Amino acid sequence: MVKVAVLGAAGGIGQPLSLLLKANTTITELALFDIANTAGVAADLSHINTPAKVTGYKGDEQLEGALKGADVVVIPAGVPRKPGMTRDDLFKINAGIVKNLATAAAKHCPKAFMAIISNPVNSTVPIVAEVFKAHGVYDAKRIFGVTTLDIVRANTFVSELKNTEPQSTNVPVIGGHSGVTIIPVLSATGHSFTDEQVERLTQRIQYGGDEVVKAKDGAGSATLSMAYAGARFVNSLLEASVLKKTGVTECTYVKSDVAEGLEYFSTVVELGPEGVSKIHPIPSLNAHEKKLLDAAVPELKANIQKGVDFVKNAT
Ligand code: NAI
């Protein structure tokens, strides 16, 4: 039995993500939670002839039902960006939402893998960790910031430039998940790029989200590509933990000591039955990438501290 709970399931990301998870035949129960509109989404998805039994839960009083027995909890709940906003601008609203959902998860499914999509990921992952610590159920190996969309974007942009197959292009993107904290390691792709190409690709990978925010013109941020990326991450988690496949890796933002002075960082992580099985070190970086790392560190540090303080000051 494999239960996956999606919190924020009726939203722009939540709906297509739930659809893609419904197509994953490893999942036997898909619990959809939101503060509104879950009944319709659940009824709709429940007609798809795959094994997962779909259940809808609405409002705080039904949160326990959604979480009880969950093996994986995916959180895309919260508000998305509008043009001109940074991910950090979302902190005020989303920090509280994530803290409340994490508190319920710490009580009702403390062993679940927590996959955090809600922005700002650089801060919401420390929030979940601090909540789990406060409840005495913290396991660093089970809490993940989903940065997969940065990798998906990087693979697409590089494959377009180099005429390679998008599915087999593999660009590691390390660091965090916002602006300058997103560090594409183009030197690890085996391709050569001109300085100008590196500059343009780096900018586009770091700010690809803004392209979507701008194009949607006030109607939100990436939802469909994020759903694809989120489903890919959950599929990888389940392949490693349930299907016991070895060698499953994803770049993901986790508790890590690979970057000096930072408690959380994303590098390639090997997934296993207990979640994080091995954290790969920062790959060897060229001079340009070292500069990107230097620029990322102070911002990441501040983002992490902001998340930690939010929980500490509230208790
Ligand atoms: P949306 O507004 O379309 O959907 C959010 C959903 O969360 C809504 O259905 C809303 O009712 C629900 N919600 C609000 N408060 C809740 C609560 N307390 N409990 C449960 N559900 C609650 O937003 P969208 O576009 O789906 O984005 C969601 C989040 O994902 C945003 O924070 C956005 O910034 C983030 N995001 C993250 C990405 C990543 O790469 N990690 C990429 C794109 C977006």
Side-chain angles (χ1 to χ4, degrees), residues 7-14 33-37 60 63 75-81 87 90 94 96-98 100-101 116-121 145-150 153 177 216 219-223 226 229:
L7 313 184
I13 295 168
F33 175 82
D34 205 300
I35 50 175
N37 304 326
D60 278 353
L63 185 51
I75 308 188
V79 291
R81 288 188 294 157
R87 292 178 181 84
L90 302 173
N94 290 354
I97 292 174
V98 170
N100 287 344
L101 295 173
I116 315 304
I117 293 172
S118 311
N119 272 315
V121 165
V146 181
T147 60
T148 321
L149 181 53
D150 300 322
R153 282 186 180 130
H177 175 67
K216 291 200 175 179
S221 58
T223 53
M226 179 59 236

mmCIF file of all heavy atoms in Angstrom, residues 7-14 33-37 60 63 75-81 87 90 94 96-98 100-101 116-121 145-150 153 177 216 219-223 226 229, ligand 1:
data_model
loop_
_atom_site.group_PDB
_atom_site.id
_atom_site.type_symbol
_atom_site.label_atom_id
_atom_site.label_comp_id
_atom_site.label_asym_id
_atom_site.label_seq_id
_atom_site.Cartn_x
_atom_site.Cartn_y
_atom_site.Cartn_z
ATOM 1 N N LEU A 7 -1.120 18.285 -0.764
ATOM 2 C CA LEU A 7 -1.732 19.371 0.009
ATOM 3 C C LEU A 7 -1.701 20.643 -0.836
ATOM 4 O O LEU A 7 -0.630 21.142 -1.166
ATOM 5 C CB LEU A 7 -0.974 19.586 1.333
ATOM 6 C CG LEU A 7 -0.657 18.314 2.153
ATOM 7 C CD1 LEU A 7 -0.002 18.689 3.484
ATOM 8 C CD2 LEU A 7 -1.900 17.475 2.397
ATOM 9 N N GLY A 8 -2.890 21.124 -1.183
ATOM 10 C CA GLY A 8 -2.994 22.219 -2.163
ATOM 11 C C GLY A 8 -3.382 21.622 -3.505
ATOM 12 O O GLY A 8 -3.057 22.148 -4.563
ATOM 13 N N ALA A 9 -4.127 20.503 -3.423
ATOM 14 C CA ALA A 9 -4.383 19.668 -4.607
ATOM 15 C C ALA A 9 -5.333 20.290 -5.623
ATOM 16 O O ALA A 9 -5.375 19.847 -6.767
ATOM 17 C CB ALA A 9 -4.944 18.313 -4.160
ATOM 18 N N ALA A 10 -6.091 21.310 -5.220
ATOM 19 C CA ALA A 10 -7.046 21.890 -6.168
ATOM 20 C C ALA A 10 -6.460 23.092 -6.911
ATOM 21 O O ALA A 10 -7.133 23.737 -7.698
ATOM 22 C CB ALA A 10 -8.324 22.297 -5.435
ATOM 23 N N GLY A 11 -5.200 23.404 -6.651
ATOM 24 C CA GLY A 11 -4.581 24.598 -7.228
ATOM 25 C C GLY A 11 -4.022 24.372 -8.620
ATOM 26 O O GLY A 11 -4.178 23.297 -9.221
ATOM 27 N N GLY A 12 -3.375 25.423 -9.119
ATOM 28 C CA GLY A 12 -2.805 25.393 -10.467
ATOM 29 C C GLY A 12 -1.798 24.275 -10.645
ATOM 30 O O GLY A 12 -1.758 23.622 -11.689
ATOM 31 N N ILE A 13 -0.952 24.053 -9.645
ATOM 32 C CA ILE A 13 -0.012 22.930 -9.699
ATOM 33 C C ILE A 13 -0.717 21.656 -9.231
ATOM 34 O O ILE A 13 -0.577 20.594 -9.822
ATOM 35 C CB ILE A 13 1.216 23.190 -8.794
ATOM 36 C CG1 ILE A 13 2.025 24.375 -9.310
ATOM 37 C CG2 ILE A 13 2.091 21.933 -8.702
ATOM 38 C CD1 ILE A 13 3.078 24.875 -8.341
ATOM 39 N N GLY A 14 -1.464 21.790 -8.139
ATOM 40 C CA GLY A 14 -2.059 20.627 -7.490
ATOM 41 C C GLY A 14 -2.866 19.746 -8.428
ATOM 42 O O GLY A 14 -2.750 18.513 -8.383
ATOM 43 N N PHE A 33 -5.891 17.089 -0.647
ATOM 44 C CA PHE A 33 -6.333 18.034 0.375
ATOM 45 C C PHE A 33 -6.212 19.463 -0.135
ATOM 46 O O PHE A 33 -5.226 19.827 -0.780
ATOM 47 C CB PHE A 33 -5.495 17.893 1.658
ATOM 48 C CG PHE A 33 -5.844 18.925 2.686
ATOM 49 C CD1 PHE A 33 -6.934 18.743 3.527
ATOM 50 C CD2 PHE A 33 -5.110 20.111 2.787
ATOM 51 C CE1 PHE A 33 -7.296 19.717 4.458
ATOM 52 C CE2 PHE A 33 -5.460 21.089 3.715
ATOM 53 C CZ PHE A 33 -6.551 20.887 4.558
ATOM 54 N N ASP A 34 -7.216 20.273 0.172
ATOM 55 C CA ASP A 34 -7.143 21.710 -0.111
ATOM 56 C C ASP A 34 -8.137 22.399 0.803
ATOM 57 O O ASP A 34 -8.918 21.732 1.492
ATOM 58 C CB ASP A 34 -7.468 21.990 -1.602
ATOM 59 C CG ASP A 34 -6.844 23.294 -2.096
ATOM 60 O OD1 ASP A 34 -7.158 24.359 -1.538
ATOM 61 O OD2 ASP A 34 -6.038 23.239 -3.045
ATOM 62 N N ILE A 35 -8.121 23.727 0.783
ATOM 63 C CA ILE A 35 -9.121 24.439 1.585
ATOM 64 C C ILE A 35 -10.414 24.631 0.790
ATOM 65 O O ILE A 35 -11.413 25.090 1.316
ATOM 66 C CB ILE A 35 -8.576 25.801 2.099
ATOM 67 C CG1 ILE A 35 -7.967 26.615 0.951
ATOM 68 C CG2 ILE A 35 -7.546 25.574 3.198
ATOM 69 C CD1 ILE A 35 -7.533 28.018 1.367
ATOM 70 N N ALA A 36 -10.385 24.312 -0.509
ATOM 71 C CA ALA A 36 -11.593 24.429 -1.339
ATOM 72 C C ALA A 36 -11.482 23.511 -2.547
ATOM 73 O O ALA A 36 -10.375 23.157 -2.971
ATOM 74 C CB ALA A 36 -11.755 25.867 -1.819
ATOM 75 N N ASN A 37 -12.632 23.125 -3.090
ATOM 76 C CA ASN A 37 -12.725 22.458 -4.405
ATOM 77 C C ASN A 37 -12.090 21.074 -4.544
ATOM 78 O O ASN A 37 -11.863 20.612 -5.655
ATOM 79 C CB ASN A 37 -12.132 23.345 -5.517
ATOM 80 C CG ASN A 37 -12.796 24.701 -5.557
ATOM 81 O OD1 ASN A 37 -13.993 24.808 -5.274
ATOM 82 N ND2 ASN A 37 -12.039 25.734 -5.869
ATOM 83 N N ASP A 60 -9.325 22.299 7.480
ATOM 84 C CA ASP A 60 -8.449 21.816 8.553
ATOM 85 C C ASP A 60 -8.966 20.570 9.262
ATOM 86 O O ASP A 60 -8.197 19.693 9.637
ATOM 87 C CB ASP A 60 -8.256 22.931 9.599
ATOM 88 C CG ASP A 60 -7.185 23.907 9.133
ATOM 89 O OD1 ASP A 60 -6.541 23.616 8.083
ATOM 90 O OD2 ASP A 60 -7.007 24.954 9.783
ATOM 91 N N LEU A 63 -7.852 17.447 7.536
ATOM 92 C CA LEU A 63 -6.429 17.309 7.217
ATOM 93 C C LEU A 63 -5.845 16.000 7.757
ATOM 94 O O LEU A 63 -5.065 15.326 7.085
ATOM 95 C CB LEU A 63 -5.676 18.538 7.773
ATOM 96 C CG LEU A 63 -4.199 18.685 7.462
ATOM 97 C CD1 LEU A 63 -3.909 18.544 5.971
ATOM 98 C CD2 LEU A 63 -3.691 20.048 7.965
ATOM 99 N N ILE A 75 3.655 19.121 -1.074
ATOM 100 C CA ILE A 75 3.002 20.386 -0.692
ATOM 101 C C ILE A 75 3.181 21.468 -1.753
ATOM 102 O O ILE A 75 4.204 22.145 -1.800
ATOM 103 C CB ILE A 75 3.525 20.900 0.674
ATOM 104 C CG1 ILE A 75 3.440 19.797 1.735
ATOM 105 C CG2 ILE A 75 2.725 22.132 1.106
ATOM 106 C CD1 ILE A 75 3.739 20.255 3.159
ATOM 107 N N PRO A 76 2.162 21.645 -2.610
ATOM 108 C CA PRO A 76 2.135 22.819 -3.484
ATOM 109 C C PRO A 76 1.101 23.843 -3.017
ATOM 110 O O PRO A 76 0.573 24.585 -3.843
ATOM 111 C CB PRO A 76 1.745 22.211 -4.844
ATOM 112 C CG PRO A 76 0.869 21.045 -4.487
ATOM 113 C CD PRO A 76 1.152 20.649 -3.053
ATOM 114 N N ALA A 77 0.815 23.899 -1.713
ATOM 115 C CA ALA A 77 -0.195 24.836 -1.205
ATOM 116 C C ALA A 77 0.424 26.221 -1.043
ATOM 117 O O ALA A 77 1.586 26.345 -0.680
ATOM 118 C CB ALA A 77 -0.717 24.355 0.146
ATOM 119 N N GLY A 78 -0.383 27.236 -1.317
ATOM 120 C CA GLY A 78 0.100 28.594 -1.093
ATOM 121 C C GLY A 78 -0.136 29.479 -2.284
ATOM 122 O O GLY A 78 -0.691 29.039 -3.286
ATOM 123 N N VAL A 79 0.292 30.725 -2.170
ATOM 124 C CA VAL A 79 0.057 31.658 -3.285
ATOM 125 C C VAL A 79 1.260 31.671 -4.239
ATOM 126 O O VAL A 79 2.390 31.544 -3.810
ATOM 127 C CB VAL A 79 -0.231 33.099 -2.776
ATOM 128 C CG1 VAL A 79 -1.571 33.149 -2.077
ATOM 129 C CG2 VAL A 79 0.881 33.599 -1.864
ATOM 130 N N PRO A 80 0.978 31.815 -5.542
ATOM 131 C CA PRO A 80 2.069 31.941 -6.513
ATOM 132 C C PRO A 80 2.421 33.410 -6.779
ATOM 133 O O PRO A 80 1.723 34.307 -6.324
ATOM 134 C CB PRO A 80 1.473 31.293 -7.763
ATOM 135 C CG PRO A 80 0.000 31.547 -7.672
ATOM 136 C CD PRO A 80 -0.340 31.701 -6.205
ATOM 137 N N ARG A 81 3.491 33.608 -7.546
ATOM 138 C CA ARG A 81 3.936 34.984 -7.831
ATOM 139 C C ARG A 81 3.074 35.658 -8.895
ATOM 140 O O ARG A 81 2.489 35.007 -9.744
ATOM 141 C CB ARG A 81 5.377 34.947 -8.355
ATOM 142 C CG ARG A 81 6.376 34.608 -7.291
ATOM 143 C CD ARG A 81 7.776 34.769 -7.800
ATOM 144 N NE ARG A 81 8.115 33.822 -8.846
ATOM 145 C CZ ARG A 81 9.064 34.013 -9.737
ATOM 146 N NH1 ARG A 81 9.762 35.144 -9.732
ATOM 147 N NH2 ARG A 81 9.327 33.092 -10.640
ATOM 148 N N ARG A 87 10.295 35.289 -5.258
ATOM 149 C CA ARG A 87 9.737 34.189 -4.466
ATOM 150 C C ARG A 87 9.711 34.567 -2.991
ATOM 151 O O ARG A 87 8.830 34.167 -2.249
ATOM 152 C CB ARG A 87 10.539 32.909 -4.700
ATOM 153 C CG ARG A 87 10.349 32.375 -6.127
ATOM 154 C CD ARG A 87 11.171 31.129 -6.374
ATOM 155 N NE ARG A 87 11.015 30.629 -7.741
ATOM 156 C CZ ARG A 87 11.709 31.079 -8.786
ATOM 157 N NH1 ARG A 87 12.595 32.042 -8.632
ATOM 158 N NH2 ARG A 87 11.518 30.559 -9.986
ATOM 159 N N LEU A 90 6.669 35.984 -1.321
ATOM 160 C CA LEU A 90 5.571 35.080 -0.968
ATOM 161 C C LEU A 90 5.665 34.609 0.483
ATOM 162 O O LEU A 90 4.731 34.008 1.011
ATOM 163 C CB LEU A 90 5.580 33.844 -1.879
ATOM 164 C CG LEU A 90 5.483 34.088 -3.388
ATOM 165 C CD1 LEU A 90 5.684 32.791 -4.147
ATOM 166 C CD2 LEU A 90 4.122 34.693 -3.730
ATOM 167 N N ASN A 94 2.961 32.259 2.584
ATOM 168 C CA ASN A 94 3.233 30.826 2.444
ATOM 169 C C ASN A 94 3.934 30.210 3.660
ATOM 170 O O ASN A 94 3.754 29.027 3.941
ATOM 171 C CB ASN A 94 4.036 30.568 1.176
ATOM 172 C CG ASN A 94 3.198 30.794 -0.070
ATOM 173 O OD1 ASN A 94 1.997 31.031 0.020
ATOM 174 N ND2 ASN A 94 3.813 30.717 -1.241
ATOM 175 N N GLY A 96 3.357 30.661 6.781
ATOM 176 C CA GLY A 96 2.353 30.231 7.753
ATOM 177 C C GLY A 96 1.605 29.000 7.268
ATOM 178 O O GLY A 96 1.333 28.070 8.043
ATOM 179 N N ILE A 97 1.276 28.985 5.973
ATOM 180 C CA ILE A 97 0.556 27.831 5.403
ATOM 181 C C ILE A 97 1.406 26.570 5.544
ATOM 182 O O ILE A 97 0.951 25.524 6.018
ATOM 183 C CB ILE A 97 0.212 28.094 3.915
ATOM 184 C CG1 ILE A 97 -0.825 29.219 3.796
ATOM 185 C CG2 ILE A 97 -0.283 26.820 3.233
ATOM 186 C CD1 ILE A 97 -1.132 29.650 2.358
ATOM 187 N N VAL A 98 2.675 26.679 5.156
ATOM 188 C CA VAL A 98 3.560 25.499 5.206
ATOM 189 C C VAL A 98 3.783 25.052 6.650
ATOM 190 O O VAL A 98 3.785 23.853 6.948
ATOM 191 C CB VAL A 98 4.912 25.800 4.490
ATOM 192 C CG1 VAL A 98 5.921 24.684 4.733
ATOM 193 C CG2 VAL A 98 4.686 26.000 2.990
ATOM 194 N N ASN A 100 1.726 25.326 9.176
ATOM 195 C CA ASN A 100 0.534 24.618 9.661
ATOM 196 C C ASN A 100 0.429 23.214 9.067
ATOM 197 O O ASN A 100 0.115 22.249 9.766
ATOM 198 C CB ASN A 100 -0.742 25.392 9.298
ATOM 199 C CG ASN A 100 -0.874 26.625 10.161
ATOM 200 O OD1 ASN A 100 -0.214 26.748 11.190
ATOM 201 N ND2 ASN A 100 -1.701 27.562 9.717
ATOM 202 N N LEU A 101 0.703 23.103 7.784
ATOM 203 C CA LEU A 101 0.609 21.784 7.137
ATOM 204 C C LEU A 101 1.700 20.851 7.672
ATOM 205 O O LEU A 101 1.463 19.666 7.909
ATOM 206 C CB LEU A 101 0.715 21.939 5.611
ATOM 207 C CG LEU A 101 -0.446 22.716 4.959
ATOM 208 C CD1 LEU A 101 -0.172 22.965 3.478
ATOM 209 C CD2 LEU A 101 -1.777 21.970 5.135
ATOM 210 N N ILE A 116 8.524 19.446 -0.709
ATOM 211 C CA ILE A 116 8.015 20.812 -0.574
ATOM 212 C C ILE A 116 8.180 21.586 -1.886
ATOM 213 O O ILE A 116 9.308 21.805 -2.361
ATOM 214 C CB ILE A 116 8.770 21.574 0.561
ATOM 215 C CG1 ILE A 116 8.913 20.700 1.808
ATOM 216 C CG2 ILE A 116 8.065 22.895 0.869
ATOM 217 C CD1 ILE A 116 7.629 20.148 2.375
ATOM 218 N N ILE A 117 7.043 22.009 -2.415
ATOM 219 C CA ILE A 117 7.020 22.783 -3.656
ATOM 220 C C ILE A 117 6.756 24.263 -3.359
ATOM 221 O O ILE A 117 7.247 25.154 -4.052
ATOM 222 C CB ILE A 117 5.941 22.210 -4.609
ATOM 223 C CG1 ILE A 117 6.342 20.810 -5.082
ATOM 224 C CG2 ILE A 117 5.703 23.133 -5.805
ATOM 225 C CD1 ILE A 117 5.265 20.067 -5.876
ATOM 226 N N SER A 118 5.981 24.543 -2.306
ATOM 227 C CA SER A 118 5.577 25.925 -1.990
ATOM 228 C C SER A 118 6.785 26.828 -1.822
ATOM 229 O O SER A 118 7.729 26.506 -1.092
ATOM 230 C CB SER A 118 4.765 25.950 -0.697
ATOM 231 O OG SER A 118 3.750 24.989 -0.719
ATOM 232 N N ASN A 119 6.710 27.982 -2.462
ATOM 233 C CA ASN A 119 7.807 28.942 -2.406
ATOM 234 C C ASN A 119 7.668 29.914 -1.240
ATOM 235 O O ASN A 119 6.572 30.142 -0.762
ATOM 236 C CB ASN A 119 7.819 29.747 -3.717
ATOM 237 C CG ASN A 119 8.657 29.058 -4.767
ATOM 238 O OD1 ASN A 119 9.758 28.589 -4.481
ATOM 239 N ND2 ASN A 119 8.152 29.014 -5.993
ATOM 240 N N PRO A 120 8.757 30.499 -0.806
ATOM 241 C CA PRO A 120 10.131 30.302 -1.255
ATOM 242 C C PRO A 120 10.753 29.013 -0.687
ATOM 243 O O PRO A 120 10.937 28.905 0.526
ATOM 244 C CB PRO A 120 10.871 31.530 -0.696
ATOM 245 C CG PRO A 120 10.070 31.946 0.508
ATOM 246 C CD PRO A 120 8.656 31.558 0.247
ATOM 247 N N VAL A 121 11.036 28.060 -1.582
ATOM 248 C CA VAL A 121 11.549 26.746 -1.169
ATOM 249 C C VAL A 121 12.790 26.880 -0.269
ATOM 250 O O VAL A 121 12.964 26.125 0.693
ATOM 251 C CB VAL A 121 11.872 25.888 -2.422
ATOM 252 C CG1 VAL A 121 12.728 24.682 -2.078
ATOM 253 C CG2 VAL A 121 10.577 25.437 -3.097
ATOM 254 N N GLY A 145 13.281 19.721 -0.664
ATOM 255 C CA GLY A 145 12.783 20.860 -1.436
ATOM 256 C C GLY A 145 12.796 20.459 -2.901
ATOM 257 O O GLY A 145 13.813 19.970 -3.417
ATOM 258 N N VAL A 146 11.653 20.639 -3.569
ATOM 259 C CA VAL A 146 11.549 20.195 -4.960
ATOM 260 C C VAL A 146 12.064 21.310 -5.880
ATOM 261 O O VAL A 146 11.408 22.328 -6.086
ATOM 262 C CB VAL A 146 10.093 19.821 -5.316
ATOM 263 C CG1 VAL A 146 10.011 19.342 -6.763
ATOM 264 C CG2 VAL A 146 9.571 18.756 -4.355
ATOM 265 N N THR A 147 13.258 21.093 -6.402
ATOM 266 C CA THR A 147 13.895 22.056 -7.319
ATOM 267 C C THR A 147 13.928 21.488 -8.739
ATOM 268 O O THR A 147 14.566 22.051 -9.627
ATOM 269 C CB THR A 147 15.340 22.349 -6.875
ATOM 270 O OG1 THR A 147 16.078 21.116 -6.894
ATOM 271 C CG2 THR A 147 15.408 22.932 -5.478
ATOM 272 N N THR A 148 13.239 20.376 -8.931
ATOM 273 C CA THR A 148 13.311 19.625 -10.196
ATOM 274 C C THR A 148 12.990 20.475 -11.418
ATOM 275 O O THR A 148 13.519 20.229 -12.506
ATOM 276 C CB THR A 148 12.320 18.428 -10.146
ATOM 277 O OG1 THR A 148 12.355 17.876 -8.827
ATOM 278 C CG2 THR A 148 12.675 17.372 -11.162
ATOM 279 N N LEU A 149 12.121 21.484 -11.242
ATOM 280 C CA LEU A 149 11.750 22.310 -12.400
ATOM 281 C C LEU A 149 12.971 23.042 -12.966
ATOM 282 O O LEU A 149 13.067 23.258 -14.172
ATOM 283 C CB LEU A 149 10.645 23.302 -12.007
ATOM 284 C CG LEU A 149 10.133 24.222 -13.110
ATOM 285 C CD1 LEU A 149 9.687 23.445 -14.346
ATOM 286 C CD2 LEU A 149 8.996 25.101 -12.601
ATOM 287 N N ASP A 150 13.896 23.404 -12.092
ATOM 288 C CA ASP A 150 15.110 24.080 -12.589
ATOM 289 C C ASP A 150 15.915 23.139 -13.493
ATOM 290 O O ASP A 150 16.495 23.567 -14.493
ATOM 291 C CB ASP A 150 15.977 24.545 -11.409
ATOM 292 C CG ASP A 150 15.224 25.515 -10.518
ATOM 293 O OD1 ASP A 150 14.467 26.333 -11.059
ATOM 294 O OD2 ASP A 150 15.372 25.431 -9.287
ATOM 295 N N ARG A 153 13.944 22.652 -16.790
ATOM 296 C CA ARG A 153 14.157 23.822 -17.656
ATOM 297 C C ARG A 153 15.563 23.799 -18.264
ATOM 298 O O ARG A 153 15.734 24.020 -19.472
ATOM 299 C CB ARG A 153 14.019 25.110 -16.833
ATOM 300 C CG ARG A 153 12.601 25.480 -16.550
ATOM 301 C CD ARG A 153 12.524 26.854 -15.852
ATOM 302 N NE ARG A 153 11.142 27.185 -15.600
ATOM 303 C CZ ARG A 153 10.657 27.592 -14.428
ATOM 304 N NH1 ARG A 153 11.455 27.739 -13.386
ATOM 305 N NH2 ARG A 153 9.383 27.867 -14.310
ATOM 306 N N HIS A 177 16.535 27.459 -4.822
ATOM 307 C CA HIS A 177 15.504 27.608 -5.847
ATOM 308 C C HIS A 177 14.962 29.039 -5.864
ATOM 309 O O HIS A 177 13.828 29.291 -5.493
ATOM 310 C CB HIS A 177 14.366 26.607 -5.612
ATOM 311 C CG HIS A 177 13.220 26.798 -6.566
ATOM 312 N ND1 HIS A 177 13.327 26.561 -7.910
ATOM 313 C CD2 HIS A 177 11.958 27.259 -6.363
ATOM 314 C CE1 HIS A 177 12.181 26.846 -8.495
ATOM 315 N NE2 HIS A 177 11.329 27.274 -7.585
ATOM 316 N N LYS A 216 1.889 34.715 -18.184
ATOM 317 C CA LYS A 216 0.558 34.481 -17.579
ATOM 318 C C LYS A 216 -0.078 35.796 -17.121
ATOM 319 O O LYS A 216 -1.268 35.833 -16.804
ATOM 320 C CB LYS A 216 0.668 33.483 -16.427
ATOM 321 C CG LYS A 216 1.003 32.081 -16.912
ATOM 322 C CD LYS A 216 0.669 30.994 -15.911
ATOM 323 C CE LYS A 216 0.916 29.629 -16.499
ATOM 324 N NZ LYS A 216 0.636 28.515 -15.579
ATOM 325 N N ALA A 219 -1.914 35.837 -13.852
ATOM 326 C CA ALA A 219 -2.710 34.626 -13.556
ATOM 327 C C ALA A 219 -1.877 33.550 -12.858
ATOM 328 O O ALA A 219 -2.303 32.399 -12.771
ATOM 329 C CB ALA A 219 -3.309 34.084 -14.843
ATOM 330 N N GLY A 220 -0.686 33.902 -12.367
ATOM 331 C CA GLY A 220 0.088 32.935 -11.601
ATOM 332 C C GLY A 220 1.439 32.621 -12.203
ATOM 333 O O GLY A 220 1.927 33.333 -13.087
ATOM 334 N N SER A 221 2.041 31.545 -11.720
ATOM 335 C CA SER A 221 3.383 31.159 -12.178
ATOM 336 C C SER A 221 3.306 29.778 -12.814
ATOM 337 O O SER A 221 2.218 29.296 -13.128
ATOM 338 C CB SER A 221 4.370 31.216 -11.009
ATOM 339 O OG SER A 221 3.970 30.371 -9.956
ATOM 340 N N ALA A 222 4.456 29.144 -12.998
ATOM 341 C CA ALA A 222 4.487 27.846 -13.670
ATOM 342 C C ALA A 222 3.625 26.833 -12.918
ATOM 343 O O ALA A 222 3.768 26.673 -11.701
ATOM 344 C CB ALA A 222 5.922 27.344 -13.741
ATOM 345 N N THR A 223 2.729 26.196 -13.628
ATOM 346 C CA THR A 223 1.907 25.166 -12.992
ATOM 347 C C THR A 223 2.062 23.820 -13.713
ATOM 348 O O THR A 223 2.283 22.789 -13.092
ATOM 349 C CB THR A 223 0.409 25.557 -13.006
ATOM 350 O OG1 THR A 223 0.016 25.866 -14.350
ATOM 351 C CG2 THR A 223 0.147 26.751 -12.116
ATOM 352 N N MET A 226 5.644 22.647 -13.691
ATOM 353 C CA MET A 226 5.947 22.306 -12.290
ATOM 354 C C MET A 226 5.302 20.986 -11.911
ATOM 355 O O MET A 226 5.881 20.178 -11.187
ATOM 356 C CB MET A 226 5.466 23.436 -11.366
ATOM 357 C CG MET A 226 5.715 23.167 -9.900
ATOM 358 S SD MET A 226 7.479 22.924 -9.555
ATOM 359 C CE MET A 226 7.467 21.318 -8.787
ATOM 360 N N ALA A 229 7.432 18.346 -13.258
ATOM 361 C CA ALA A 229 8.657 18.213 -12.460
ATOM 362 C C ALA A 229 8.360 17.571 -11.098
ATOM 363 O O ALA A 229 9.118 16.711 -10.623
ATOM 364 C CB ALA A 229 9.299 19.588 -12.277
HETATM 365 P P1 NAI B 1 -2.533 28.266 -6.799
HETATM 366 O O1 NAI B 1 -2.965 29.497 -6.112
HETATM 367 O O2 NAI B 1 -3.058 27.979 -8.143
HETATM 368 O O3 NAI B 1 -2.845 27.003 -5.895
HETATM 369 C C1 NAI B 1 -2.524 26.957 -4.544
HETATM 370 C C2 NAI B 1 -3.541 26.070 -3.859
HETATM 371 O O4 NAI B 1 -3.186 26.028 -2.477
HETATM 372 C C3 NAI B 1 -4.986 26.599 -3.957
HETATM 373 O O5 NAI B 1 -5.831 25.575 -4.423
HETATM 374 C C4 NAI B 1 -5.304 26.993 -2.529
HETATM 375 O O6 NAI B 1 -6.674 26.806 -2.194
HETATM 376 C C5 NAI B 1 -4.401 26.046 -1.757
HETATM 377 N N1 NAI B 1 -4.172 26.448 -0.384
HETATM 378 C C6 NAI B 1 -4.007 27.676 0.135
HETATM 379 N N2 NAI B 1 -3.859 27.599 1.469
HETATM 380 C C7 NAI B 1 -3.914 26.285 1.786
HETATM 381 C C8 NAI B 1 -3.829 25.569 2.997
HETATM 382 N N3 NAI B 1 -3.668 26.182 4.161
HETATM 383 N N4 NAI B 1 -3.918 24.224 2.943
HETATM 384 C C9 NAI B 1 -4.077 23.585 1.762
HETATM 385 N N5 NAI B 1 -4.177 24.219 0.595
HETATM 386 C C10 NAI B 1 -4.102 25.549 0.604
HETATM 387 O O7 NAI B 1 -0.920 28.292 -6.819
HETATM 388 P P2 NAI B 1 0.071 27.367 -7.676
HETATM 389 O O8 NAI B 1 0.345 28.020 -8.969
HETATM 390 O O9 NAI B 1 -0.438 25.987 -7.647
HETATM 391 O O10 NAI B 1 1.416 27.489 -6.804
HETATM 392 C C11 NAI B 1 1.514 26.919 -5.525
HETATM 393 C C12 NAI B 1 2.874 27.170 -4.913
HETATM 394 O O11 NAI B 1 3.913 26.518 -5.648
HETATM 395 C C13 NAI B 1 3.282 28.646 -4.868
HETATM 396 O O12 NAI B 1 3.877 28.909 -3.621
HETATM 397 C C14 NAI B 1 4.305 28.762 -5.968
HETATM 398 O O13 NAI B 1 5.214 29.819 -5.760
HETATM 399 C C15 NAI B 1 4.993 27.419 -5.852
HETATM 400 N N6 NAI B 1 5.770 27.034 -7.028
HETATM 401 C C16 NAI B 1 6.907 26.316 -6.817
HETATM 402 C C17 NAI B 1 7.711 25.923 -7.850
HETATM 403 C C18 NAI B 1 8.952 25.127 -7.586
HETATM 404 O O14 NAI B 1 9.752 24.962 -8.513
HETATM 405 N N7 NAI B 1 9.192 24.621 -6.394
HETATM 406 C C19 NAI B 1 7.378 26.264 -9.239
HETATM 407 C C20 NAI B 1 6.142 26.968 -9.375
HETATM 408 C C21 NAI B 1 5.382 27.353 -8.298
#
